[in-house]
Amino acid sequence: MNTEYLQFNEYGLKTAGELIRKGELVAFPTETVYGLGANAYDVSAVKSTFTAKGRPSDNPLIVHIYDKKQIGEIAREISSDAEKVIDVLLPDSLTVVLPKKDSVDSCITAGLDTVAIRMPKSVEARAFLKAANVPVTAPSANISGRPSPTAWQRVKEDMDGKIAAVLCGSPCDVGIESTVLDLSREQPLILRPGAVTAERISDVLCKTVNVLNDPNSKVNSPGVRYKHYAPKIPMVLNVDGNADKLCGYYDELVKQGLRPVLLVEKPSLYGLRSVKSIGDTDEEVARNLFENLRLLEEKYDYIIASFSSKTPFAQSILNRLVRSAGHNLI
Ligand code: AMP
Ligand code: MG
């Protein structure tokens, strides 16, 4: 298949919308990461998403909308908590899980009785969704297991020749995937942490909102079980900011004949070793995280990362870093 690279303009949007309605796959920009869009009402289009990504079919997809009115087409029941969250917090990098209507096919929800819905904040994403004029299922536009793409050039790396088009918009501002908030249960529960933190949601609901911390528990978001966000080269993670320990680990790898790189908070502490800044603020770390992993895997053969921020948003970033490092903490 010849993938079309559409510029983000009126023609590009119109073409992208037509392709979606015809049952084709189109990658598009959002504020979190690039999404791989399909018409949520076209079962064969939705199924082709799993094939293009190599995604297991028991990992459900998020349905994207541009107008809150579309929620009624998809969700069967909206609790008073859900109403508050939708009113106050959407649009943002926040996905809400609600009981699903029968019109939502089980291939989207992996057989669950709930559906995940997201209204992006990004103006580009909403313009695309409006042009599509149907709810759009979209996982991240990467090969399953790889770091998510935060620029269209990274979508090209993974998806060229496999999908009809890429809508080439801006690089993603947030850089990590949306918070997934389950509002279909008695107590709201964050299934995947993101930029919209438990604290912010608690403030809106005036109640405690917990974050799922055992991804193997029965109450879960199926997708969080899988290998995720992994660069092609080995990676380890340090969370206490101990530069001496990191230098020791680096020097040992060099002795073994490897070419490691440090992805760290204070690059000046590491002398002449190969080093890259992970970012100075949580926002910068998140924005550049997946791009950094994709850049470093091209030049080096081992990533030693360090991230010691302890803010609520840092916990969401850490969730991705730990998985990128395959849980190898040093
Ligand atoms: P991705 O599209 O790769 O960003 O992943 C989507 C995330 O949303 C995965 O972690 C899914 O498990 C989660 N998700 C999607 N639909 C549901 C649902 N109905 N219930 C719980 N989690 C969901
Ligand atoms: Mg993904």
Side-chain angles (χ1 to χ4, degrees):
M1 178 183 284
N2 184 26
T3 302
E4 249 188 288
Y5 291 86
L6 300 166
Q7 282 183 30
F8 196 93
N9 56 27
E10 213 170 299
Y11 171 79
L13 281 168
K14 184 167 160 280
T15 310
E18 282 165 5
L19 287 168
I20 288 285
R21 287 190 301 280
K22 276 203 316 211
E24 300 287 352
L25 300 183
V26 179
F28 64 100
T30 81
E31 72 276 24
T32 57
V33 303
Y34 268 71
L36 181 56
N39 178 354
Y41 291 139
D42 183 333
V43 171
S44 100
V46 172
K47 285 187 173 160
S48 67
T49 317
F50 292 90
T51 319
K53 277 185 61 98
R55 182 178 175 102
S57 60
D58 64 350
N59 190 359
L61 302 176
I62 296 171
V63 180
H64 290 67
I65 57 168
Y66 67 92
D67 189 320
K68 291 182 190 179
K69 283 189 202 124
Q70 293 173 284
I71 296 174
E73 283 180 45
I74 310 163
R76 187 177 72 233
E77 210 180 288
I78 300 172
S79 64
S80 63
D81 278 352
E83 225 163 74
K84 280 186 212 154
V85 167
I86 291 164
D87 272 1
V88 181
L89 290 174
L90 298 193
D92 210 336
S93 14
L94 173 66
T95 295
V96 293
V97 173
L98 299 172
K100 82 168 188 78
K101 274 202 164 151
D102 289 345
S103 56
V104 180
D105 193 88
S106 64
C107 71
I108 295 176
T109 64
L112 297 171
D113 191 35
T114 52
V115 59
I117 304 172
R118 176 156 125 78
M119 180 172 172
K121 194 174 202 171
S122 146
V123 173
E124 290 183 351
R126 291 221 300 279
F128 161 75
L129 294 166
K130 191 164 186 195
N133 202 27
V134 286
V136 171
T137 54
S140 48
N142 52 281
I143 292 169
S144 224
R146 298 266 301 133
S148 304
T150 50
W152 68 262
Q153 292 88 343
R154 297 303 186 183
V155 178
K156 184 174 184 189
E157 249 171 47
D158 282 18
M159 290 296 148
D160 192 48
K162 297 181 190 164
I163 63 177
V166 178
L167 184 58
C168 303
S170 313
C172 305
D173 194 43
V174 175
I176 62 169
E177 301 80 357
S178 60
T179 305
V180 177
L181 174 67
D182 191 347
L183 288 164
S184 71
R185 57 185 59 251
E186 193 76 14
Q187 280 304 315
L189 179 67
I190 291 182
L191 304 177
R192 176 177 73 187
V196 177
T197 59
E199 286 73 6
R200 260 183 79 196
I201 302 165
S202 292
D203 282 351
V204 170
L205 295 180
C206 302
K207 59 168 87 163
T208 308
V209 175
N210 291 316
V211 182
L212 176 74
N213 55 18
D214 176 6
N216 294 316
S217 74
K218 277 225 154 199
V219 184
N220 74 7
S221 186
V224 301
R225 283 193 301 262
Y226 292 104
K227 174 183 162 193
H228 242 113
Y229 323 120
K232 289 177 183 160
I233 58 176
M235 172 169 163
V236 291
L237 175 67
N238 169 270
V239 292
D240 55 25
N242 181 338
D244 286 342
K245 187 159 50 169
L246 292 166
C247 288
Y249 201 92
Y250 178 103
D251 294 345
E252 190 49 44
L253 290 173
V254 171
K255 268 192 217 150
Q256 293 171 23
L258 295 168
R259 279 174 312 158
V261 60
L262 294 149
L263 180 64
V264 291
E265 286 158 310
K266 295 192 182 102
S268 60
L269 296 179
Y270 299 88
L272 295 175
R273 297 173 181 87
S274 300
V275 64
K276 177 145 189 38
S277 168
I278 197 168
D280 290 333
T281 60
D282 291 343
E283 285 71 23
E284 201 181 309
V285 174
R287 188 176 307 126
N288 298 326
L289 178 61
F290 294 136
E291 181 62 22
N292 277 336
L293 299 183
R294 283 182 180 250
L295 278 175
L296 296 179
E297 71 182 11
E298 286 165 8
K299 287 205 204 154
Y300 299 95
D301 43 32
Y302 212 108
I303 298 172
I304 305 166
S306 174
F307 183 61
S308 59
S309 171
K310 298 285 183 267
T311 63
F313 184 28
Q315 295 308 305
S316 309
I317 298 169
L318 210 51
N319 169 281
R320 308 308 193 274
L321 271 167
V322 167
R323 285 153 186 278
S324 297
H327 297 267
N328 290 315
L329 298 187
I330 60 165

